[in-house]
Amino acid sequence: MSEKESLDVLKLNKAQEEAVNYNDGPLLIIAGAGTGKTAVITEKIARIIKNGLAKPEEILALTFTDKAANEMRDRVDQKISLGYADMQISTFHNFCLNLLREYGLEIGLPVDFKQVTENEAWILMRNHIYDFNLDYYRPLGNPNSKIKALIGHFSKLKDELIDSENYLDFAEKMILDKDEAEIKEKNRIIELADAYQKYNQLLLDNAMLDFGDLIFYAVKLLRDRPNILKKIQERFKYILIDEFQDVNWSQYELIKKLSETAKLTVVGDDDQSIYAFRGSNVSIIMRFKEDFTSAKEVVLTENYRSGQEILDFAYESIKHNNPNRLEDKLKINKKLIAFNKKKSSVEYFHFNNIIEETDFVINKISEIKNKNKEVVWDDFAILVRANSHAEAFLNALDKSGIPYEFLASSGLYRQKIIMDIISFLRVVTNCYEDTGFYRLLRMTFLNFKENDMQKFLFLAKKKSISYYEALKRARHFGLSEEGIKIAEKIIDLVHAGMKNNRHLKISQVIYEFLEKSHYLKFLTDAEKRGDAESIRQIYHLIQFFKLVDKYEEITPGAEIIDFVKYFDALVESGDKGKMYQAENTPDSVNVITAHGAKGLEFKYVFVVNCVDSRFPNSKNSEGIEIPAELLKEKLNSKDFSIEEERRLFYVAATRAKEKLFFTTAQTYTGNISRKNKISRFLAEMNFSEELSSTNKNNDISKMLENKKQKEIAEKKSDFIYDLPKTFSFSQIKSYEACPYAYKLAHILKLPQKLHSHLSFGNSIHLTLQKFYKKIQELNDLKQDSLFALPIKNVKKTDKLQVPSFADLIKIYENSWIEDNYVNEVERKKYFADGKRILKDFYETNLNNWTIPVALESGFKIKIGEFLLNGKIDRIDKLADGTLEIIDYKTGKPKEKLEAGDKAQLLIYQIAAQTLPEYRNIGEISKLSFYYLTNNKKLDFLGKEKDLDKEIKKIEETIINIKNKNFEAKPGFECDYCSFRDICEYKK
């Protein structure tokens, strides 16, 4: 039973209950590894709501990753009986992004700023490098070589809330002019300060904010605009911060501002502070104690994950960080006690070389699994200190046939499918790109035979022609009939790509290539083949499409050649492509960095390469340091980097539930004269090469030789799907249409081909949303806070202010989504239709305008044991005080609504009648589908039996999804399905 599962079925312990129930003031929860901090936070939120202390929208919970925020949100959802219209459980950066989207104009930020990654900022700075007055930081031989370090420096300055004016003022006042060395140093700092000012201005000139800007400007907004600060403070009564030990100075200042009038709870563990490289500082927790002197402390020490032997080892190790630990400073007891009394063990093994070390680890995994039928591959983790240390273990797993998942933090651009796509894009823009054609011929699913490849390469070289020309002449090269078909297929794909590039977006060109080449079909058939690698490629593809989508958003109208240049610049910047842990993975051994393992747990953990210079790693360059005088928090330890490495070692050790293995090798380079010392962290615990468990059986090579993995290699991986925790009407409708298409879209999350009617419908919806929002603003009905519903009684008045028809058309033009049309003729036709529809709409409502009480209002409700979310287009208050829920339709108008047509609005009625946030506005009296093509409404109101029937239908659908019933349902829907061309079941 995992820590999460344990806490779902067990009552909270005494310390957890104390933390959950305390609401009298600021609260510091010191939560050791595996002590159920997420359970405490989610239970605290649930009880605040249940006890009527605050409404869901009055609670703010912040953490650091989308994964952590989603997990917290899911667990709160399960604890709240009805659901809610709004609650803020978010990452720091997403919260600040929303804040600046709403109020950024108040401090002069661009209205529609774009958020850029560090590598996108690198490209921007590279393109303007000669606009910077650089000397020290622009080497003549490679003027771009210091850009990454400069941007890293600027990011640290923002973490410390140092603006460019203060930095420049500090630099100019430096008293450094005694000799030439001091003069050069002062000039260096002035150069940095000047570059910082120019970099920030460059971002603003291009309507961009980088990652550090989000919190930097959010704090500036709250400091400089007390009226905005007051609005936000009035909104939130309770604020909860997860992983508080990872907070940096700017985030801490944000928390202080937000919580001046709210009840603040922070949860953290100084022993797990492992992100100093991104600005976090373990001393922040001590700062909290100084700033919130009345804060209550609760220490969680009951561990629901690991055996006591593992906990004792980890505790004795981390104590070597004293006196720079809270336990020592606050005189508290942080020794973890195992709730689970099962026996556990810690073992250490030493080997002569990396080959012996990897073979042992792989063999031990196999041995444990073969002895226990209940053990699955996912129970094992191999933890490395750095991505580069994983390769030897990945190769050994490959050879053994053991399925594995390498949860690397980077490396997306080197994945097979991404390289294939980039090769395709290169040959589309340059048909003489021979390496690109070679890569396409090597695509696994094409099965281009080696004999054909040899003939092709030989004759292309002999005739001195490009591969493009050679492929066109393949029929004359003596290739097999299959080889000729493949050559012709590649030429057809490339020609289609060239043609599509003229009128389709880059993402659409890529999709067409994947679909027409049958690459997508090859991936979707992976489960039948037991092909775990192809399943992984699906996740990589999804992540790559996100990159393409973001590029298209930042650079509208860009062509493939622009994207290829952008991609090359990303790679040049050092970007290897961020990779996210896939949730729907086959049963497989987890290979992951110690940093990446934070928050995870496994029965059996192997911490490998535990030698000095690897773990702890050699001290990396800190980049360009900020002058010590400008730092808000001073490091109070000479051994700070070693202490952080020891905390990382502690995190790695506390991932294990039953068995914890440490392994080392005498050499990792093949140079037997250069012997590695075992990690100081192991030596501190009295481990040594002589005491290695390996010495109990010296004939390790024979032991390994006798353990064969053939039976493992022959077994297919079982695919484990992480099913949705919340559902939407569109998901329900998708499943009802075809369960197999639902699986491809919502379980495997394959990219989908979008259709013109969807782009058109979204354009009209967005136009009307902005139009009615303008009506709200003109008539003084604006949301009282960033996230709240604009709930307010509105009386009809003769003085109603409404934008003009010209304003409406201008909104439409700015909201127009020009993607996914077959050609320019279709795009123009739809655009003209939209103007006609809006003209009729405006004239029809000319003397009957209303001020909506809510626009695009979200909700999340419980349907039986399940959660359903959605968003309502518009809610109007009628003359009698009752409410009309309106949903826009741009499709073919209906004369009469059948039972199946009413489902969406019945769900909205259920939400509006269930949640107090909506009940407080008024009673629902009408549900209306507004058909914009003929400006007519069809309305009704669901009866109790209709609502019960809809709830039952939704429950049945979700149960089918949970039971993984994904059998195809071919029919007329196949004609409109995004996966028609790759589906073997299509009608």
Coordinates of all heavy atoms in Angstrom, one line a residue, residues 66-114:
D66 N 3.0 21.4 -11.8 CA 1.6 21.1 -12.3 C 1.2 19.8 -11.7 O 0.0 19.6 -11.4 CB 1.5 21.1 -13.8 CG 1.7 22.5 -14.4 OD1 1.2 23.5 -13.8 OD2 2.3 22.6 -15.5
K67 N 2.1 18.8 -11.7 CA 1.8 17.5 -11.2 C 1.3 17.5 -9.7 O 0.3 16.9 -9.4 CB 3.0 16.6 -11.3 CG 2.7 15.1 -10.9 CD 3.9 14.3 -11.0 CE 3.7 12.9 -10.4 NZ 4.9 12.0 -10.4
A68 N 2.0 18.3 -8.9 CA 1.7 18.4 -7.5 C 0.3 19.1 -7.3 O -0.5 18.8 -6.5 CB 2.8 19.2 -6.7
A69 N 0.1 20.2 -8.1 CA -1.1 20.9 -8.1 C -2.3 20.0 -8.5 O -3.4 20.1 -7.9 CB -1.1 22.2 -9.0
N70 N -2.1 19.3 -9.5 CA -3.2 18.4 -10.0 C -3.5 17.3 -9.0 O -4.7 17.0 -8.8 CB -2.8 17.7 -11.3 CG -2.7 18.7 -12.5 OD1 -3.4 19.7 -12.5 ND2 -2.0 18.4 -13.5
E71 N -2.5 16.7 -8.4 CA -2.7 15.7 -7.3 C -3.5 16.3 -6.2 O -4.4 15.7 -5.7 CB -1.4 15.1 -6.9 CG -1.6 14.0 -5.8 CD -0.3 13.5 -5.2 OE1 0.8 13.8 -5.7 OE2 -0.4 12.8 -4.2
M72 N -3.1 17.5 -5.7 CA -3.8 18.1 -4.6 C -5.2 18.4 -5.0 O -6.1 18.2 -4.2 CB -3.0 19.4 -4.2 CG -3.4 20.0 -2.9 SD -2.7 21.6 -2.6 CE -0.9 21.1 -2.6
R73 N -5.4 18.9 -6.2 CA -6.8 19.2 -6.7 C -7.6 18.0 -6.7 O -8.8 18.0 -6.3 CB -6.7 19.9 -8.0 CG -8.0 20.6 -8.5 CD -7.8 21.2 -9.8 NE -6.8 22.3 -9.8 CZ -5.7 22.2 -10.5 NH1 -5.4 21.1 -11.2 NH2 -4.8 23.2 -10.5
D74 N -7.1 16.9 -7.2 CA -7.8 15.6 -7.4 C -8.3 15.1 -6.0 O -9.4 14.7 -5.8 CB -7.0 14.6 -8.1 CG -6.8 14.9 -9.5 OD1 -7.6 15.7 -10.1 OD2 -5.8 14.4 -10.1
R75 N -7.4 15.2 -5.0 CA -7.7 14.7 -3.7 C -8.7 15.6 -2.9 O -9.5 15.1 -2.2 CB -6.4 14.5 -2.9 CG -5.5 13.4 -3.5 CD -4.2 13.2 -2.9 NE -4.3 12.6 -1.6 CZ -3.2 12.2 -0.8 NH1 -2.0 12.4 -1.3 NH2 -3.4 11.6 0.3
V76 N -8.6 16.9 -3.2 CA -9.6 17.8 -2.6 C -11.0 17.5 -3.2 O -12.0 17.4 -2.5 CB -9.2 19.2 -2.8 CG1 -10.4 20.2 -2.4 CG2 -8.0 19.6 -2.0
D77 N -11.0 17.3 -4.5 CA -12.2 16.9 -5.2 C -12.9 15.7 -4.6 O -14.1 15.7 -4.5 CB -11.9 16.7 -6.7 CG -11.6 17.9 -7.5 OD1 -11.8 19.0 -7.0 OD2 -11.0 17.8 -8.6
Q78 N -12.1 14.7 -4.3 CA -12.7 13.5 -3.7 C -13.3 13.7 -2.3 O -14.2 13.0 -1.9 CB -11.6 12.4 -3.6 CG -11.1 12.0 -5.0 CD -12.2 11.4 -5.9 OE1 -13.1 10.7 -5.5 NE2 -12.0 11.7 -7.2
K79 N -12.8 14.7 -1.6 CA -13.3 15.0 -0.2 C -14.5 15.9 -0.1 O -15.1 15.9 0.9 CB -12.1 15.6 0.6 CG -11.0 14.6 0.8 CD -9.8 15.2 1.6 CE -8.7 14.3 1.8 NZ -9.0 13.2 2.8
I80 N -14.7 16.7 -1.2 CA -15.8 17.6 -1.1 C -17.1 17.0 -1.7 O -17.0 16.5 -2.9 CB -15.5 18.9 -1.9 CG1 -14.3 19.6 -1.2 CG2 -16.6 19.9 -1.9 CD1 -13.8 20.9 -1.8
S81 N -18.1 17.0 -1.0 CA -19.3 16.2 -1.4 C -20.0 16.7 -2.6 O -20.5 16.0 -3.5 CB -20.3 16.1 -0.2 OG -20.7 17.4 0.2
L82 N -20.1 18.0 -2.8 CA -20.9 18.6 -3.9 C -20.1 19.0 -5.1 O -20.5 18.9 -6.2 CB -21.7 19.9 -3.4 CG -22.7 19.6 -2.3 CD1 -23.3 21.0 -1.9 CD2 -23.8 18.7 -2.8
G83 N -18.9 19.5 -4.9 CA -18.1 20.1 -5.9 C -18.0 21.6 -5.7 O -18.3 22.1 -4.6
Y84 N -17.6 22.3 -6.7 CA -17.5 23.8 -6.5 C -17.4 24.5 -7.8 O -17.1 23.8 -8.9 CB -16.2 24.1 -5.7 CG -15.0 23.4 -6.2 CD1 -14.2 24.0 -7.2 CD2 -14.6 22.2 -5.6 CE1 -13.1 23.4 -7.7 CE2 -13.4 21.6 -6.1 CZ -12.7 22.2 -7.1 OH -11.5 21.6 -7.6
A85 N -17.6 25.8 -7.8 CA -17.5 26.6 -9.0 C -16.1 27.0 -9.3 O -15.7 27.1 -10.4 CB -18.5 27.8 -9.0
D86 N -15.4 27.3 -8.2 CA -14.1 27.8 -8.3 C -13.2 27.6 -7.1 O -13.7 27.8 -6.0 CB -14.1 29.4 -8.6 CG -12.8 29.9 -8.9 OD1 -11.9 29.2 -9.5 OD2 -12.6 31.1 -8.7
M87 N -12.0 27.2 -7.3 CA -11.0 27.1 -6.1 C -9.7 27.2 -6.8 O -9.4 26.6 -7.8 CB -11.2 25.8 -5.3 CG -10.2 25.7 -4.2 SD -10.7 24.6 -2.9 CE -11.3 23.2 -3.8
Q88 N -8.8 28.0 -6.1 CA -7.4 28.2 -6.6 C -6.4 27.2 -6.0 O -5.9 27.4 -4.9 CB -7.0 29.6 -6.4 CG -7.4 30.5 -7.5 CD -6.8 30.2 -8.8 OE1 -5.6 30.2 -9.0 NE2 -7.6 29.8 -9.8
I89 N -6.1 26.1 -6.7 CA -5.0 25.2 -6.4 C -4.1 25.3 -7.6 O -4.5 24.8 -8.7 CB -5.5 23.8 -6.1 CG1 -6.4 23.8 -4.9 CG2 -4.3 22.9 -5.8 CD1 -7.0 22.4 -4.6
S90 N -3.0 25.9 -7.4 CA -2.2 26.3 -8.6 C -0.7 26.2 -8.3 O -0.3 26.1 -7.1 CB -2.6 27.7 -9.0 OG -1.8 28.2 -10.0
T91 N 0.1 26.4 -9.3 CA 1.5 26.6 -9.1 C 1.7 28.1 -8.9 O 0.9 28.9 -9.3 CB 2.4 26.2 -10.3 OG1 2.0 27.0 -11.5 CG2 2.1 24.7 -10.7
F92 N 2.8 28.5 -8.3 CA 3.1 29.9 -8.1 C 3.1 30.7 -9.4 O 2.5 31.7 -9.5 CB 4.6 30.1 -7.5 CG 4.6 29.9 -6.0 CD1 4.9 28.7 -5.4 CD2 4.4 31.0 -5.2 CE1 5.0 28.6 -4.1 CE2 4.5 30.9 -3.8 CZ 4.8 29.7 -3.2
H93 N 3.7 30.1 -10.4 CA 3.8 30.8 -11.7 C 2.5 30.9 -12.4 O 2.2 32.0 -13.0 CB 4.9 30.1 -12.6 CG 6.3 30.3 -12.0 ND1 6.9 29.5 -11.2 CD2 7.2 31.3 -12.3 CE1 8.1 29.9 -10.9 NE2 8.3 31.0 -11.5
N94 N 1.7 29.9 -12.4 CA 0.4 30.0 -13.0 C -0.5 31.0 -12.3 O -1.3 31.8 -12.9 CB -0.3 28.6 -13.1 CG 0.2 27.8 -14.2 OD1 0.8 28.2 -15.1 ND2 0.0 26.5 -14.0
F95 N -0.4 31.1 -11.0 CA -1.2 32.1 -10.2 C -0.8 33.5 -10.6 O -1.6 34.3 -10.9 CB -1.0 31.9 -8.7 CG -1.6 32.9 -7.9 CD1 -3.0 33.0 -7.6 CD2 -0.9 34.0 -7.4 CE1 -3.6 34.0 -6.9 CE2 -1.4 35.0 -6.6 CZ -2.8 35.0 -6.4
C96 N 0.5 33.7 -10.7 CA 1.0 35.0 -11.1 C 0.7 35.4 -12.5 O 0.5 36.5 -12.9 CB 2.5 35.1 -10.8 SG 2.9 35.1 -9.0
L97 N 0.8 34.4 -13.4 CA 0.4 34.6 -14.8 C -1.0 35.1 -14.9 O -1.3 36.1 -15.6 CB 0.6 33.3 -15.6 CG 0.2 33.3 -17.0 CD1 1.1 34.2 -17.8 CD2 0.3 31.9 -17.6
N98 N -1.9 34.5 -14.2 CA -3.3 34.9 -14.2 C -3.5 36.3 -13.6 O -4.2 37.1 -14.1 CB -4.2 33.9 -13.5 CG -4.4 32.6 -14.2 OD1 -4.3 32.6 -15.4 ND2 -4.6 31.5 -13.5
L99 N -2.7 36.6 -12.6 CA -2.8 37.9 -11.9 C -2.3 39.0 -12.9 O -3.0 40.0 -13.0 CB -1.9 37.8 -10.7 CG -2.0 39.0 -9.7 CD1 -3.3 39.0 -9.0 CD2 -0.9 38.9 -8.6
L100 N -1.3 38.7 -13.6 CA -0.7 39.7 -14.5 C -1.6 39.8 -15.8 O -1.7 40.9 -16.4 CB 0.7 39.4 -14.9 CG 1.7 39.5 -13.7 CD1 3.1 39.0 -14.2 CD2 1.8 40.8 -13.1
R101 N -2.2 38.8 -16.2 CA -3.1 38.9 -17.4 C -4.3 39.8 -17.0 O -4.7 40.6 -17.9 CB -3.7 37.5 -17.7 CG -2.7 36.5 -18.3 CD -2.7 36.6 -19.8 NE -1.8 35.5 -20.3 CZ -0.8 35.8 -21.1 NH1 -0.5 37.1 -21.5 NH2 -0.1 34.8 -21.6
E102 N -4.7 39.8 -15.8 CA -5.9 40.6 -15.4 C -5.4 42.1 -15.1 O -6.1 43.0 -15.5 CB -6.5 40.0 -14.2 CG -7.8 40.7 -13.7 CD -9.0 40.5 -14.6 OE1 -8.9 39.6 -15.6 OE2 -10.0 41.1 -14.4
Y103 N -4.3 42.2 -14.4 CA -4.0 43.5 -13.8 C -2.6 44.1 -14.3 O -2.2 45.1 -13.8 CB -4.0 43.5 -12.3 CG -5.3 43.2 -11.7 CD1 -5.5 42.0 -11.0 CD2 -6.3 44.1 -11.8 CE1 -6.7 41.7 -10.4 CE2 -7.6 43.8 -11.2 CZ -7.7 42.6 -10.5 OH -8.9 42.3 -9.9
G104 N -1.9 43.4 -15.2 CA -0.6 43.8 -15.6 C -0.5 45.2 -16.2 O 0.4 45.9 -16.0
L105 N -1.6 45.6 -16.8 CA -1.7 46.9 -17.5 C -1.5 48.0 -16.4 O -1.0 49.1 -16.7 CB -3.0 47.1 -18.2 CG -3.2 48.3 -19.1 CD1 -2.1 48.2 -20.3 CD2 -4.6 48.3 -19.7
E106 N -1.9 47.7 -15.2 CA -1.8 48.7 -14.1 C -0.4 49.1 -13.8 O -0.1 50.2 -13.3 CB -2.4 48.1 -12.8 CG -3.9 47.7 -12.9 CD -4.8 48.9 -12.5 OE1 -4.2 49.9 -12.0 OE2 -6.0 48.8 -12.8
I107 N 0.6 48.3 -14.2 CA 2.0 48.6 -13.9 C 2.8 48.7 -15.3 O 4.0 48.6 -15.3 CB 2.7 47.6 -13.0 CG1 2.5 46.2 -13.5 CG2 2.2 47.8 -11.6 CD1 3.4 45.2 -12.7
G108 N 2.0 48.9 -16.4 CA 2.6 49.1 -17.7 C 3.0 47.9 -18.5 O 3.8 48.1 -19.4
L109 N 2.6 46.7 -18.1 CA 2.9 45.6 -18.9 C 2.1 45.5 -20.1 O 0.9 46.0 -20.1 CB 2.7 44.3 -18.0 CG 3.6 44.1 -16.8 CD1 3.3 42.8 -16.1 CD2 5.1 44.2 -17.2
P110 N 2.6 44.9 -21.2 CA 1.8 44.7 -22.4 C 0.5 43.9 -22.1 O 0.5 43.0 -21.3 CB 2.7 43.9 -23.4 CG 4.1 44.2 -22.8 CD 3.9 44.3 -21.3
V111 N -0.6 44.3 -22.8 CA -1.9 43.6 -22.5 C -1.8 42.1 -22.9 O -2.2 41.3 -22.1 CB -3.0 44.3 -23.3 CG1 -4.3 43.5 -23.1 CG2 -3.1 45.7 -22.9
D112 N -1.3 41.8 -24.0 CA -1.3 40.4 -24.5 C 0.2 39.9 -24.5 O 0.7 39.4 -25.5 CB -1.9 40.3 -25.9 CG -3.4 40.7 -25.9 OD1 -4.1 40.3 -24.9 OD2 -3.8 41.4 -26.8
F113 N 0.8 40.0 -23.3 CA 2.2 39.5 -23.3 C 2.3 38.0 -23.5 O 1.4 37.3 -23.2 CB 2.9 39.9 -22.0 CG 2.3 39.2 -20.8 CD1 2.7 38.0 -20.4 CD2 1.4 39.9 -20.0 CE1 2.2 37.3 -19.3 CE2 0.9 39.3 -18.8 CZ 1.3 38.0 -18.5
K114 N 3.4 37.6 -24.0 CA 3.7 36.1 -24.2 C 4.7 35.7 -23.2 O 5.7 36.4 -22.9 CB 4.2 35.9 -25.6 CG 3.3 36.4 -26.8 CD 3.9 36.1 -28.1 CE 3.1 36.7 -29.2 NZ 3.1 38.2 -29.3

